[in-house]
Amino acid sequence: MRMGVLDVGSNTVGLVIAETDGAVPLPVHTAKRRLRLSDHVERGGHLPEEQVNRLVEAVAEARVEGSRWGVTQPFAFATAIVRDAPNRAEILERVTAEAEVPLHVLPGEVEAELTFLAARRWMGWRAGPLAMLDIGGGTLEVAFGRSKLPDFAISLPLGASRLTREFFRGQDPPSLRRAKLLRRHVRHQLRDVAARIRWEAPRTTVATSRTLQQLGRLCGAAPGRSGPFTPRGITRTDLRVAVERLSVLPAADRALLPGISPARAGQSLAGAIVAHTTMKLMGIDEMTLCPWALREGVLLRCIEDGNSDWWDGTAPSLRDQGAVPPQVLRPFGGVDASATVSATPSSAQLSTRSGQFN
């Protein structure tokens, strides 16, 4: 049986087709289209009509691509770039009507829960009490748990693209003053969450997301061609050096550094500041880089339910299974955008095929 996941993010629209007959999603095909929607967001988070048109076109192309692989209706979800847009309702309506794909908007804390689920499955029980950090384009997800589901999960508006727009707009590279203001802002937003993670004292901390993967490569982690099972980590000391290195370079020069892609070079400094400040506040010296993240978490949830109907905007999330104290999180209808609160995979994953929508 095959299932597909379509992820509408700040930079790309990504499609993953996976075999889901077993307990582990084994990707057989991946494709993406780079839109860089975050580069075109207007003040207040509004997504211009031209970009909405591009998004609708990309989702329609992904649907056609998925059908070639036997998936006629992928589970499509959008992250903060759409969730926080004032014209969100219009975007969702147009994608559903014109691309013929229902586009779901998951609350930030549900993203954190699903990403934690993926990280736990990848790391296995030997990781012990586990903390998870995921720096996306619009938000930072933090979770902690001792079992497969988190005891604590939260989403904060500390994404790399968002902070680049808010603090570095018009400055490349940004001034020292702007960088200090950003770091102060991150400390203020993370104060209570960091205290909770320090109190929990995780045995293992994992870092997911493309931003952290690229920063890990900049800090000396093995390149992607070494395969997903090569151990990779990132230390707070190396991140501090990376922040100093990135802060004096314009985006064009950052893109020449190991691991930093041209598409993410502009936001790499903000991502590095968030990562380093988070580790420092939480007392974390080193993180393990995990190749599984939100998409894999969605696939795992689809496997558990046997289909992709588990989320329709009102259906119960992972937290309703009793893993997360209800006071930590909020229901979908009342999400606050500022703060919303195993076995190791088979080596068959190495034999995947990838491409672009065509």
Side-chain angles (χ1 to χ4, degrees):
M1 178 179 176
R2 287 181 178 176
M3 290 185 180
V5 169
L6 183 61
D7 176 5
V8 176
S10 298
N11 287 288
T12 62
V13 173
L15 175 70
V16 177
I17 306 295
E19 298 284 359
T20 57
D21 292 329
V24 176
L26 301 176
V28 295
H29 179 71
T30 63
K32 65 181 177 181
R33 179 169 174 179
R34 182 162 283 117
L35 298 183
R36 300 180 70 168
L37 296 177
S38 60
D39 290 350
H40 305 280
V41 171
E42 298 174 348
R43 291 192 182 275
H46 188 276
L47 201 60
E49 182 177 0
E50 180 182 354
Q51 305 310 315
V52 177
N53 292 338
R54 296 175 64 220
L55 173 56
V56 171
E57 180 183 353
V59 173
E61 290 176 355
R63 178 180 59 80
V64 174
E65 180 80 4
S67 67
R68 297 192 184 107
W69 291 82
V71 176
T72 57
Q73 197 64 263
F75 181 89
F77 66 93
T79 53
I81 192 71
V82 173
R83 183 174 65 235
D84 297 343
N87 56 333
R88 178 177 81 172
E90 174 198 342
I91 297 170
L92 299 180
E93 181 179 351
R94 286 198 54 194
V95 170
T96 301
E98 299 176 32
E100 301 179 11
V101 176
L103 183 59
H104 305 276
V105 179
L106 306 180
E109 80 277 3
V110 174
E111 289 187 17
E113 293 170 355
L114 292 166
T115 305
F116 181 92
L117 172 64
R120 171 60 80 186
R121 289 291 181 85
W122 181 273
M123 297 298 296
W125 298 114
R126 67 185 181 278
L130 183 71
M132 182 279 301
L133 304 178
D134 185 294
I135 302 175
T139 56
L140 163 68
E141 274 70 57
V142 181
F144 171 85
R146 292 175 173 81
S147 61
K148 79 168 185 176
L149 301 179
D151 303 313
F152 169 81
I154 193 166
S155 179
L156 297 165
L158 297 174
S161 293
R162 181 198 299 264
L163 296 179
T164 299
R165 292 194 307 270
E166 293 178 355
F167 286 86
F168 298 159
R169 189 186 293 269
Q171 292 192 3
D172 184 28
S175 65
L176 180 61
R177 175 179 173 275
R178 291 282 184 92
K180 286 183 176 179
L181 286 174
L182 172 55
R183 189 178 289 274
R184 184 183 306 165
H185 173 74
V186 175
R187 285 199 301 264
H188 176 74
Q189 290 279 325
L190 274 175
R191 181 180 55 197
D192 295 337
V193 176
R196 171 70 184 267
I197 297 298
R198 288 197 308 271
W199 182 80
E200 295 286 5
R203 175 180 174 183
T204 305
T205 301
V206 296
T208 68
S209 79
R210 183 61 62 185
T211 293
L212 286 165
Q213 297 286 342
Q214 292 195 3
L215 289 172
R217 178 72 186 102
L218 177 63
C219 291
R225 63 177 177 273
S226 299
F229 302 118
T230 299
R232 295 176 176 88
I234 185 169
T235 69
R236 193 168 82 202
T237 299
D238 287 341
L239 259 178
R240 179 179 57 78
V241 174
V243 170
E244 295 173 353
R245 190 177 183 185
L246 293 168
S247 64
V248 298
L249 296 175
D253 290 342
R254 292 180 206 152
L256 303 177
L257 297 174
I260 305 299
S261 68
R264 296 176 185 271
Q267 67 184 52
S268 58
L269 174 58
I273 290 175
V274 172
H276 179 260
T277 305
T278 301
M279 292 182 73
K280 186 174 182 179
L281 288 176
M282 294 181 179
I284 297 168
D285 294 324
E286 184 173 6
M287 298 188 293
T288 299
L289 293 168
C290 175
W292 275 14
L294 179 56
R295 293 178 194 171
E296 288 76 16
V298 171
L299 281 168
L300 287 166
R301 184 62 195 267
C302 290
I303 289 174
E304 291 178 359
D305 281 46
N307 55 56
S308 60
D309 298 333
W310 58 273
W311 178 264
D312 62 4
T314 58
S317 72
L318 290 174
R319 65 180 179 276
D320 295 317
Q321 299 181 24
V324 184
Q327 67 272 19
V328 174
L329 305 177
R330 306 181 184 186
F332 179 48
V335 173
D336 180 349
S338 65
T340 56
V341 159
S342 81
T344 301
S346 163
S347 59
Q349 277 196 240
L350 294 174
S351 58
T352 63
R353 298 178 61 182
S354 62
Q356 301 286 327
F357 300 144
N358 51 44

